[in-house]
Amino acid sequence: NAGVTQTPKFRILKIGQSMTLQCTQDMNHNYMYWYRQDPGMGLKLIYYSVGAGITDKGEVPNGYNVSRSTTEDFPLRLELAAPSQTSVYFCASSASNQPQHFGDGTRLSIL
Amino acid sequence: EDKVVQSPLSLVVHEGDTVTLNCSYEVTNFRSLLWYKQEKKAPTFLFMLTSSGIEKKSGRLSSILDKKELSSILNITATQTGDSAIYLCAVVLPNTGNQFYFGTGTSLTVIP
């Protein structure tokens, strides 16, 4: 079972570049989430979605955008990369009131 | 403001020791509290607690919720080097689209 799949695993960007972090899940979960995790810190919610076509901001949405055109996919877009966005990004999905399943993360460095 | 606070921030113990990790939260109305273990990569689910006073157990790990004290503990007995990880606590609030609020985690290191 694939679960939650994130691509790429690693990426280095230059300041001002843009990129999309991909996330797909095969568990038919309605809820999907994007987190960032900085060194020594917990998970901060960037955006989440309660179903296809519906997205909402989390704690730290600035500098990011998301879309949810299908139940399976929840890409995260960085439009103008900044050094402050250097982090590890995790995508997760869940059913209602059930534990989240996480992808393996994307390590992003912006230089 | 931090909704979920974990303590200690880090802990170093010897194999065989018993450890207790704490999670306190500032909200009085929540749906559930979860514990996760994070090693090199993604957090993996340990326990979900919804009722106060009922212990959940899995092997050497156990956890209990105290809604009166707004806290939860995670116990690990007879620790092994494989228990070395960051342990994360999260609270799920109602009417928030199933949002999870995570604490900063406790980093546990078990030395042989």
Side-chain angles (χ1 to χ4, degrees):
Chain A
N1 291 335
V4 179
T5 303
Q6 288 183 238
T7 57
K9 294 189 187 307
F10 305 95
R11 184 73 185 267
I12 298 175
L13 283 181
K14 293 183 179 178
I15 295 171
Q17 285 185 320
S18 62
M19 77 162 294
T20 299
L21 281 66
Q22 302 290 346
C23 176
T24 187
Q25 52 97 4
D26 61 359
M27 296 171 282
N28 202 33
H29 286 161
N30 283 332
Y31 298 92
M32 294 190 74
Y33 313 81
W34 273 106
Y35 294 93
R36 61 177 287 172
Q37 187 176 35
D38 299 325
M41 303 295 287
L43 296 163
K44 296 292 185 184
L45 183 65
I46 305 171
Y47 271 94
Y48 68 100
S49 169
V50 302
I54 306 170
T55 63
D56 210 343
K57 296 177 181 179
E59 298 176 78
V60 290
N62 291 343
Y64 307 94
N65 277 302
V66 294
S67 59
R68 185 97 182 269
S69 57
T70 66
T71 298
E72 295 79 18
D73 300 307
F74 191 41
L76 176 72
R77 180 131 181 107
L78 283 71
E79 291 293 350
L80 288 170
S84 61
Q85 293 177 305
T86 293
S87 190
V88 180
Y89 291 83
F90 288 102
C91 178
S93 72
S94 75
S96 179
N97 205 28
Q98 292 299 309
Q100 291 179 332
H101 298 257
F102 286 84
D104 285 340
T106 295
R107 187 173 296 274
L108 181 63
S109 294
I110 297 161
L111 306 175
Chain B
E1 71 287 353
D2 291 330
K3 290 184 173 64
V4 180
V5 178
Q6 293 186 245
S7 63
L9 290 180
S10 65
L11 192 56
V12 180
V13 300
H14 287 95
E15 268 191 321
D17 288 349
T18 294
V19 298
T20 299
L21 309 183
N22 298 283
C23 175
S24 63
Y25 47 92
E26 298 175 359
V27 294
T28 55
N29 183 23
F30 68 97
R31 289 210 302 226
S32 52
L33 184 145
L34 295 90
W35 285 96
Y36 287 84
K37 177 183 181 182
Q38 185 178 23
E39 295 175 90
K40 299 289 185 188
K41 292 185 175 179
T44 54
F45 170 70
L46 294 174
F47 298 109
M48 185 165 84
L49 307 164
T50 55
S51 299
S52 192
I54 297 176
E55 184 183 55
K56 293 215 171 179
K57 197 170 172 64
S58 176
R60 296 176 294 102
L61 277 66
S62 64
S63 184
I64 195 163
L65 181 64
D66 186 341
K67 285 190 175 182
K68 186 177 177 183
E69 296 296 325
L70 303 184
S71 66
S72 173
I73 61 170
L74 175 69
N75 278 320
I76 308 175
T77 59
T79 51
Q80 303 171 357
T81 55
D83 295 327
S84 297
I86 297 173
Y87 290 84
L88 296 166
C89 170
V91 170
V92 184
L93 301 183
N95 305 317
T96 61
N98 214 52
Q99 284 189 59
F100 288 59
Y101 288 90
F102 282 85
T104 54
T106 293
S107 176
L108 174 65
T109 302
V110 182
I111 54 178

